[in-house]
Amino acid sequence: MNNTSSKLELLSNELLINIFSYLNTSDLFQSFYNLNIRLNSLIQSLKTLHLTLSENTDSIYNHSFFSHIHSLIFIGNVDIELHQFPNIRRLTLQYPSNNLLNQLHDSNLSHLEYLSIPDILFGMSSIYQQIFSNTFPNLKSCNLFGFETIETILPWTQTRSLHILKIGFIDFHVYKSLLSSCPNLHSLQLKMFQSYLKLSNIQEHFNLKKLEIHSEITDWRYNDQLIDMFLGCVSNLEQLIIYRSISISKLTELICDYDWLASILTIRLPLLKSLHFCLNVEYHFESIQSITIGLRRQLKECFSNAHQNRYQSRFIIK
């Protein structure tokens, strides 16, 4: 054992760090921590120490390394206390229990930079209130791209640190609150929910550069009006990504009459550099129709003609 330890000591710091990166965090601490000052210092310098715990994970009886964890993933109903991880930078909660969600209220996560809760169906209102009221002062990126529709809002203040946000179904009222609460937001991904069209204008947001909108609304004229509203306060936007759906039976109507948002973009987004438009074609069970090569070509030509190389544009049919 002593001979093995002496050989290990001969390795460079760079090589040891590379070896450590292949080890499970629990095994790393159990095998190498507290052997000597040098190894302790190297392990503590690692910025990617991560831990994944699920319902089926065997209990971890040695909690001494928890304070060194930077990235943490919980899957399912994990029976553990968040306050045992005071230095986490990245936290992912997949199908979390109510107990785990409630701990977000009580745990001090002042170092948290990334939070992902992608699979929640309901019960997130108080979590939204925390996120958008600066409870996590260093939060830079947040993924809430789940299935819940945010219809009611508790009072939000501001979270100036947040730059990247992915969120589920929202209407124009929530969109307005988000932009107001996140003045330094740079990238936003959302699912569009139906809204009242007669709403007051909202304050201009100058820092949003990338917007990705997912919409399953089948009434395209109404959908265009919603998109127009959503774009009306982000004139500095440079990249726009649109996901929309249409029934195959209505596909041919787009060839002659539709301008693919070109007139809206010309007015709303003078600084636009890139447009990606992804069209999801819905097939009915009883339908035997399919998209011919000729129809695909026609749609792409109409899209290209509408935007006339004013910015980089890409059209995708799924």
Side-chain angles (χ1 to χ4, degrees):
M1 180 66 181
N2 291 335
N3 187 38
T4 302
S5 298
S6 62
K7 289 181 179 179
L8 185 67
E9 287 293 322
L10 295 176
L11 299 179
S12 68
N13 287 349
E14 290 76 12
L15 186 55
L16 283 172
I17 289 175
N18 187 51
I19 293 172
F20 291 163
S21 68
Y22 289 94
L23 298 178
N24 176 278
T25 301
S26 179
D27 294 337
L28 173 63
F29 273 82
Q30 185 174 348
S31 302
F32 295 101
Y33 201 65
N34 283 336
L35 291 182
N36 58 48
I37 295 176
R38 179 193 176 205
L39 290 180
N40 282 2
S41 177
L42 286 177
I43 293 173
Q44 291 175 7
S45 71
L46 298 176
K47 301 302 182 184
T48 56
L49 288 176
H50 62 276
L51 183 65
T52 299
L53 299 176
S54 70
E55 299 175 2
N56 301 320
T57 303
D58 293 334
S59 297
I60 299 177
Y61 297 101
N62 180 9
H63 296 177
S64 60
F65 66 91
F66 281 8
S67 62
H68 300 283
I69 297 296
H70 289 83
S71 179
L72 186 60
I73 299 175
F74 289 146
I75 304 174
N77 186 13
V78 180
D79 184 17
I80 203 161
E81 301 295 325
L82 272 178
H83 66 78
Q84 296 176 306
F85 304 89
N87 294 308
I88 54 173
R89 267 63 174 176
R90 298 177 62 86
L91 176 62
T92 299
L93 305 178
Q94 296 182 5
Y95 306 104
S97 64
N98 288 332
N99 176 54
L100 201 52
L101 286 176
N102 290 335
Q103 289 185 48
L104 290 175
H105 297 275
D106 305 320
S107 302
N108 180 12
L109 301 176
S110 59
H111 300 292
L112 193 65
E113 297 178 359
Y114 172 83
L115 175 63
S116 177
I117 315 176
D119 309 302
I120 296 298
L121 295 177
F122 54 85
M124 286 283 288
S125 293
S126 60
I127 304 299
Y128 297 140
Q129 200 275 336
Q130 286 185 285
I131 293 171
F132 302 121
S133 296
N134 207 36
T135 300
F136 313 113
N138 288 300
L139 189 65
K140 295 179 174 62
S141 179
C142 189
N143 176 21
L144 306 170
F145 201 64
F147 308 104
E148 182 180 56
T149 300
I150 310 173
E151 295 179 319
T152 58
I153 305 175
L154 294 174
W156 294 349
T157 55
Q158 276 194 339
T159 174
R160 293 183 173 273
S161 62
L162 193 61
H163 294 158
I164 301 172
L165 175 63
K166 298 179 181 180
I167 200 163
F169 287 101
I170 65 172
D171 62 12
F172 188 74
H173 178 57
V174 178
Y175 179 69
K176 173 181 177 179
S177 297
L178 281 177
L179 295 184
S180 176
S181 300
C182 307
N184 295 316
L185 197 62
H186 183 272
S187 174
L188 175 60
Q189 179 179 329
L190 60 88
K191 296 179 182 179
M192 180 179 286
F193 188 64
Q194 295 184 15
S195 308
Y196 293 108
L197 293 178
K198 294 183 179 180
L199 291 172
S200 60
N201 294 328
I202 63 177
Q203 185 176 356
E204 183 81 10
H205 192 289
F206 296 103
N207 292 316
L208 193 68
K209 302 297 182 182
K210 178 180 178 181
L211 178 61
E212 182 173 321
I213 297 176
H214 294 245
S215 176
E216 298 177 0
I217 299 172
T218 56
D219 185 340
W220 274 46
R221 184 180 298 276
Y222 169 69
N223 202 357
D224 282 5
Q225 291 177 293
L226 288 181
I227 291 176
D228 184 35
M229 287 170 52
F230 274 61
L231 299 182
C233 55
V234 289
S235 60
N236 287 340
L237 203 68
E238 297 178 357
Q239 183 176 358
L240 177 63
I241 303 170
I242 301 287
Y243 286 82
R244 296 177 74 168
S245 300
I246 190 170
S247 169
I248 190 170
S249 62
K250 296 183 178 180
L251 196 57
T252 55
E253 298 176 11
L254 298 178
I255 296 177
C256 299
D257 299 330
Y258 192 57
D259 77 344
W260 302 98
L261 302 175
S263 57
I264 293 175
L265 301 186
T266 299
I267 296 172
R268 297 298 193 186
L269 305 181
L271 302 181
L272 188 65
K273 297 179 180 179
S274 173
L275 169 66
H276 287 190
F277 197 113
C278 184
L279 182 63
N280 179 48
V281 180
E282 298 177 342
Y283 296 87
H284 301 294
F285 179 74
E286 68 277 3
S287 175
I288 60 174
Q289 290 179 277
S290 62
I291 306 177
T292 64
I293 295 176
L295 181 55
R296 286 178 179 270
R297 185 183 299 113
Q298 280 184 289
L299 289 170
K300 290 184 177 182
E301 287 178 357
C302 290
F303 178 86
S304 179
N305 291 335
H307 296 285
Q308 298 179 349
N309 296 320
R310 290 191 291 269
Y311 29 76
Q312 292 182 353
S313 59
R314 184 182 181 189
F315 181 65
I316 302 171
I317 303 177
K318 289 187 176 182

